[in-house]
Amino acid sequence: MRIVGRGRIVLWEGASLWAFDVPPAPDGQASTRLHAHHAIQITLSAGGRFCIRTGDGRMDGPVVVIAPDVPHAFEPEGKVALLFVEPESRAGQALMQGMAGALVAKLDARLGHAPTKLADLWIDAQSDDGVVEALGRSLVQEAVGEVLPASTLDLRIARTLDWLTSRISEGVGLAEAAAIACLSESRFSHLFAAEVGLPFRTYLLWRRLMLAVERISAGTSLTVAAHEAGFADSAHFSRTFHRMFGIPAASLQLI
């Protein structure tokens, strides 16, 4: 799928908002490849339409939420937006609790008004990133639908995640992370996977991917962004992005 048009990507701690306009496909319905990523994905119509396909069937908009690491394909047309929420964040934990084990669910009742709010992203394409971030934060809060609960993450893992935030692009190793958590490497690996839902190295790769996306959305070239985020080269970043999002990384430069 080729993402083009007047779009935005804005990231903040624990979440991001991606908005884009997908023209009708000349040979039928545009679709990503089947893919999976670590974030909770809230897909919203912004005047366009979309369908989410999983191994269990399909679900149409206007608002659909997908649990982390669920293989899915995305079939959009027109103006659509994606809210990605880190499952370890307080909002992410609340969303997961609300899904009650479902892999895919509708959120129309809570975010049915979203198309009107999101339309402003195309009406005022030059709006400040802070305005777009505020919109994204408000949509996440409305999706949660309640006061955010206290974090349920193990404090040792929470401390490690905070420590990682400023070191994502560095050569962070398992031994260093385990030391921050005051655990042996084997115990840390087991606890991290149980709390976060991913092995440590896979999570680190996801965070590096998001850092590269942030750099590209700010105007950095794909090659430089990949290097700054700690990837071996742009090819490694491109392969990782394609596997997790189902579209070419070069599409980011068209938004």
Side-chain angles (χ1 to χ4, degrees):
M1 182 185 75
R2 185 170 180 263
I3 295 177
V4 298
R6 300 152 293 167
R8 303 289 292 272
I9 298 178
V10 176
L11 298 90
W12 61 95
E13 184 62 32
S16 59
L17 174 61
W18 304 35
F20 40 79
D21 192 347
V22 182
D27 55 351
Q29 178 67 57
S31 178
T32 67
R33 291 178 178 272
L34 198 67
H35 61 283
H37 47 68
H38 183 55
I40 300 166
Q41 176 179 316
I42 303 175
T43 311
L44 309 104
S45 165
R49 59 183 181 177
F50 68 86
C51 168
I52 300 295
R53 288 190 294 106
T54 69
D56 294 328
R58 57 177 287 157
M59 188 173 290
D60 299 310
V63 187
V64 174
V65 59
I66 309 169
D69 306 307
V70 173
H72 63 279
F74 175 43
E75 299 177 353
E77 183 176 310
K79 295 180 176 66
V80 292
L82 304 176
L83 270 173
F84 292 109
V85 183
E86 299 288 342
E88 299 80 29
S89 68
R90 291 174 63 200
Q93 292 177 60
L95 283 169
M96 292 299 293
Q97 290 174 17
M99 292 184 73
L103 300 181
V104 184
K106 282 186 171 287
L107 276 181
D108 299 1
R110 293 184 180 177
L111 291 173
H113 63 286
T116 302
K117 286 189 172 184
L118 289 165
D120 292 342
L121 294 178
W122 285 272
I123 294 172
D124 184 8
Q126 302 304 315
S127 58
D128 183 84
D129 281 355
V131 174
V132 180
E133 177 183 332
L135 171 60
R137 286 181 180 273
S138 71
L139 291 172
V140 170
Q141 180 63 61
E142 291 169 26
V144 171
E146 58 185 28
V147 176
L148 294 180
S151 175
T152 58
L153 280 177
D154 183 283
L155 292 178
R156 294 164 294 184
I157 298 302
R159 182 170 67 245
T160 305
L161 293 178
D162 288 342
W163 172 79
L164 276 173
T165 298
S166 62
R167 295 170 174 81
I168 293 300
S169 62
E170 302 173 8
V172 177
L174 179 64
E176 292 176 273
I180 294 297
C182 299
L183 295 169
S184 68
E185 291 184 32
S186 60
R187 174 57 182 151
F188 173 77
S189 295
H190 177 80
L191 183 62
F192 190 93
E195 290 287 311
V196 175
L198 285 178
F200 174 74
R201 289 187 176 87
T202 305
Y203 175 79
L204 191 59
L205 184 64
W206 166 255
R207 291 294 301 272
R208 285 175 173 159
L209 187 72
M210 288 297 95
L211 178 58
V213 169
E214 182 177 17
R215 296 285 194 270
I216 293 169
S217 68
T220 303
S221 72
L222 192 149
T223 299
V224 172
H227 176 73
E228 290 181 349
F231 286 91
D233 51 38
S234 60
H236 182 204
F237 165 71
S238 295
R239 289 193 302 272
T240 303
F241 185 89
H242 192 267
R243 185 176 77 249
M244 292 191 180
F245 288 97
I247 59 175
S251 297
L252 291 170
Q253 298 176 311
L254 300 174
I255 295 179

